[in-house]
Amino acid sequence: MVSSITRTQSSISEGYVAKSQGLTTEIASSFALNLISLPTTALFGTDGIRGKVGELLNAPLALQIGFWTGIVLRDHAAQNGPVILGQDSRNSSDMLAMALSAGLTAAGLEVWYLGLCPTPCVAYLTSITDAIGGVMISASHNPPEDNGIKIFGAGGGKLSKGLQAEIEAGLRGKVAPVVGVSNCGRHYSRAELIADYGQALQKPLHPQVNFQGMKIVLDLAWGAAVGLAPSVFTQMGADVICLHNQADGDRINVNCGSTDLDILAAAVKEYHADMGFAFDGDADRVLAVDNTGRQVNGDYILYLWGRHLQAQQQLPDNLIISTVMANLGFEKAWQKQGGKMIRTAVGDQYVQAEMLKTGGMLGGEQSGHILCRHYGITGDGLLTALHLAAVVQAAGISLGEMVDQSFQTYPQLLQNVRVEDREQRLGWENCEPVQRAIAQAEAAMGDSGRILVRASGTEPVIRVMVEAADSELVNYWTKELVAQVQEHIA
């Protein structure tokens, strides 16, 4: 462990509070009685608590989330320790960070505040220190007006559903905090720890890998990776060209980053680069562009990295964990290579859970959340980009050639239907006209295609995905299903 991660003497003497300690009656009552209006549906989605700032997410709610998160983390901690707090560049992130820190310190905890950093940085530092948890403020790939709160457990993994339920019970006034000795926590700025994460990303690649002679374009989406990603790739020897590389809360994810690869693709071709990488707002996922400007999604990243690990005999049972969104072309090609694929529900937490259950070492999503347990504990866009570049370098051919030699995707169309009403959106499965349309589409396509309709856990949309060998069927049934959702749910 590097020296900068050790606790200061003042933090040891002033910050921590034992499990048996609680809050004064006055502080406890203020949190227990200061209830705010909450939706009847669950607050925690597939990636924490997320919503539009000023509506669901505001400072009073963040204050209470911080407090109840602190109470729950403290009560389940094996030992005393800090909570690590980071944020992305959204205009609302400062406000939410200060409110969360106030709640955590009111619960008697010490907060190590990193400031602007990628989500995986919070997870990593939580995992290697004596922190009892971590919190990241970000809405990932969502537009600037949204924000979110992601909570990690002591090991750096996503907080379990059981502990999420305990936090939510506190927020809804169903649990009273233990009243005991008053002890206020402390807040410390620890931005220097981000460099330790950057070094940890590079360590597994040294000394064998050096990107000297490679030209790589990075689209940083005006987000959390603007400070770290360019320096890491430069330190690895690459000639780096950066796009959208300032922290800008007004423009984060707007027509850039992993949700819009057009500018990146044009830049790769303009600069005759070897490849490009597009991160989302908090850099926990990445998509690539090959040397011809062609988009390379998570399915291709998993296939190419999987083949590399397979050749190195580092992929137990030749197993890849993906989701129901993974393309059939990817699955069939992987099976031809002697591989096995297990699909989960959409969400990297489900991928991670299945990896832990099966012993799988590689998994991820088409959208660019990639997890490799050889090197990390959570989805990490920077880690994935570094290793994909290393895979290309080791192959001795271009990324475009590697993609050409991999697989052909089945035609797949994904459309989002915006549904602002949260309860209407999450209860879409109760809509009989939509269910009838899905049944008709499935009967018409038979074994030659598949349909996936689901409410997003991160955005106010219902996603409609149709995949089939025949593109005409894909277009027809996507249009039909979207029309039904718009008419009966939106």
Side-chain angles (χ1 to χ4, degrees), residues 426-445:
L426 296 180
W428 76 268
E429 291 177 288
N430 298 320
C431 180
E432 291 186 9
V434 171
Q435 291 291 356
R436 283 198 301 270
I438 292 172
Q440 289 173 345
E442 289 175 336
M445 290 192 298

Side-chain angles (χ1 to χ4, degrees), residues 7 23 34 40-41 51 74 81 91 112 146 195 203-204 212 254 259 314 316 347 373 389-390 406 430 436:
R7 296 198 304 268
L23 304 172
N34 185 27
T40 58
T41 52
R74 186 194 68 182
N91 293 337
W112 288 3
D146 292 346
K203 186 177 180 180
Q212 190 170 3
V254 177
T259 57
Q314 292 184 334
R373 290 176 57 215
S406 58
N430 298 320
R436 283 198 301 270

Side-chain angles (χ1 to χ4, degrees), residues 414-430:
L414 173 65
Q415 289 194 10
N416 296 328
V417 181
R418 196 165 187 90
V419 181
E420 296 289 353
D421 188 298
R422 181 184 175 90
E423 295 187 29
Q424 188 93 343
R425 183 171 73 250
L426 296 180
W428 76 268
E429 291 177 288
N430 298 320

Side-chain angles (χ1 to χ4, degrees), residues 6-181:
T6 57
R7 296 198 304 268
T8 62
Q9 185 61 41
S10 61
S11 72
I12 295 173
S13 61
E14 298 173 323
Y16 297 134
V17 58
K19 271 186 176 183
S20 59
Q21 292 179 319
L23 304 172
T24 62
T25 303
E26 180 180 357
I27 297 175
S29 298
S30 69
F31 277 90
L33 296 176
N34 185 27
L35 301 180
I36 57 180
S37 177
L38 297 174
T40 58
T41 52
L43 290 175
F44 284 89
T46 58
D47 204 12
I49 299 172
R50 193 174 296 190
K52 187 168 290 187
V53 177
E55 295 179 4
L56 175 63
L57 274 184
N58 51 39
L61 176 60
L63 178 70
Q64 293 211 25
I65 291 173
F67 173 77
W68 287 106
T69 296
I71 292 293
V72 170
L73 290 176
R74 186 194 68 182
D75 288 348
H76 288 273
Q79 60 184 18
N80 298 326
V83 172
I84 294 177
L85 176 63
Q87 68 174 75
D88 71 12
S89 61
R90 293 165 204 273
N91 293 337
S92 59
S93 290
D94 286 349
M95 172 191 73
L96 295 175
M98 295 305 100
L100 279 161
S101 184
L104 288 163
T105 54
L109 297 181
E110 181 173 296
V111 174
W112 288 3
Y113 176 59
L114 304 177
L116 183 72
C117 68
T119 290
C121 178
V122 173
Y124 169 76
L125 292 172
T126 301
S127 74
I128 66 163
T129 66
D130 56 4
I132 64 172
V135 182
M136 177 69 182
I137 301 156
S138 177
S140 191
H141 61 282
N142 283 31
E145 60 269 19
D146 292 346
N147 216 325
I149 298 170
K150 305 180 183 185
I151 304 172
F152 297 91
K158 298 286 181 69
L159 199 66
S160 70
K161 288 190 176 296
L163 296 190
Q164 289 178 6
E166 289 188 32
I167 293 171
E168 187 153 342
L171 291 169
R172 295 185 183 278
K174 297 179 180 179
V175 178
V178 176
V179 177
V181 179

Side-chain angles (χ1 to χ4, degrees), residues 101-430:
S101 184
L104 288 163
T105 54
L109 297 181
E110 181 173 296
V111 174
W112 288 3
Y113 176 59
L114 304 177
L116 183 72
C117 68
T119 290
C121 178
V122 173
Y124 169 76
L125 292 172
T126 301
S127 74
I128 66 163
T129 66
D130 56 4
I132 64 172
V135 182
M136 177 69 182
I137 301 156
S138 177
S140 191
H141 61 282
N142 283 31
E145 60 269 19
D146 292 346
N147 216 325
I149 298 170
K150 305 180 183 185
I151 304 172
F152 297 91
K158 298 286 181 69
L159 199 66
S160 70
K161 288 190 176 296
L163 296 190
Q164 289 178 6
E166 289 188 32
I167 293 171
E168 187 153 342
L171 291 169
R172 295 185 183 278
K174 297 179 180 179
V175 178
V178 176
V179 177
V181 179
S182 174
N183 191 315
C184 294
R186 297 291 301 273
H187 174 107
Y188 295 96
S189 294
R190 300 299 306 273
E192 79 279 1
L193 299 182
I194 299 172
D196 297 312
Y197 164 67
Q199 290 299 313
L201 289 172
Q202 300 174 59
K203 186 177 180 180
L205 298 171
H206 287 314
Q208 296 87 353
V209 178
N210 187 291
F211 296 153
Q212 190 170 3
M214 297 182 75
K215 186 179 293 185
I216 298 174
V217 183
L218 304 178
D219 183 344
L220 304 166
W222 310 113
V226 296
L228 190 61
S231 65
V232 168
F233 273 90
T234 300
Q235 289 164 18
M236 289 294 297
D239 179 6
V240 178
I241 299 159
C242 293
L243 308 173
H244 315 119
N245 59 331
Q246 299 294 323
D248 191 330
D250 289 319
R251 294 189 286 179
I252 184 171
N253 296 320
V254 177
N255 301 321
C256 63
S258 64
T259 57
D260 191 334
L261 301 181
D262 290 347
I263 295 176
L264 175 62
V268 167
K269 290 191 287 186
E270 178 185 352
Y271 291 103
H272 304 288
D274 294 285
M275 66 195 73
F277 294 108
F279 303 94
D280 63 344
D282 67 336
D284 66 348
R285 73 182 197 178
V286 66
L287 295 177
V289 168
D290 71 16
N291 51 296
T292 71
R294 178 174 45 182
Q295 297 183 11
V296 181
N297 67 21
D299 287 350
Y300 282 102
I301 294 172
L302 285 171
Y303 182 89
L304 296 175
W305 200 356
R307 287 282 285 154
H308 180 78
L309 292 173
Q310 189 182 42
Q312 302 294 319
Q313 298 185 330
Q314 292 184 334
L315 198 64
D317 298 324
N318 293 327
L319 174 64
I320 290 178
I321 309 297
S322 193
T323 75
V324 292
M325 293 298 294
N327 193 276
L328 279 172
F330 165 35
E331 182 175 22
K332 292 181 182 297
W334 185 242
Q335 289 170 345
K336 286 183 180 179
Q337 297 297 327
K340 182 172 71 170
M341 180 185 292
I342 296 177
R343 293 176 182 264
T344 73
V346 174
D348 62 332
Q349 63 174 312
Y350 301 112
V351 173
Q352 185 179 48
E354 189 66 24
M355 291 173 70
L356 294 173
K357 175 183 172 183
T358 61
M361 299 302 290
L362 181 66
E365 301 185 274
Q366 190 181 80
S367 61
H369 280 121
I370 309 294
L371 299 91
C372 185
R373 290 176 57 215
H374 290 298
Y375 308 109
I377 57 172
T378 189
D380 190 328
L382 265 173
L383 186 152
T384 299
L386 288 167
H387 282 269
L388 182 59
V391 167
V392 173
Q393 186 185 60
I397 59 176
S398 70
L399 178 55
E401 290 173 295
M402 294 184 73
V403 170
D404 288 339
Q405 296 171 13
S406 58
F407 63 89
Q408 290 291 321
T409 58
Y410 278 37
Q412 185 184 83
L413 188 58
L414 173 65
Q415 289 194 10
N416 296 328
V417 181
R418 196 165 187 90
V419 181
E420 296 289 353
D421 188 298
R422 181 184 175 90
E423 295 187 29
Q424 188 93 343
R425 183 171 73 250
L426 296 180
W428 76 268
E429 291 177 288
N430 298 320

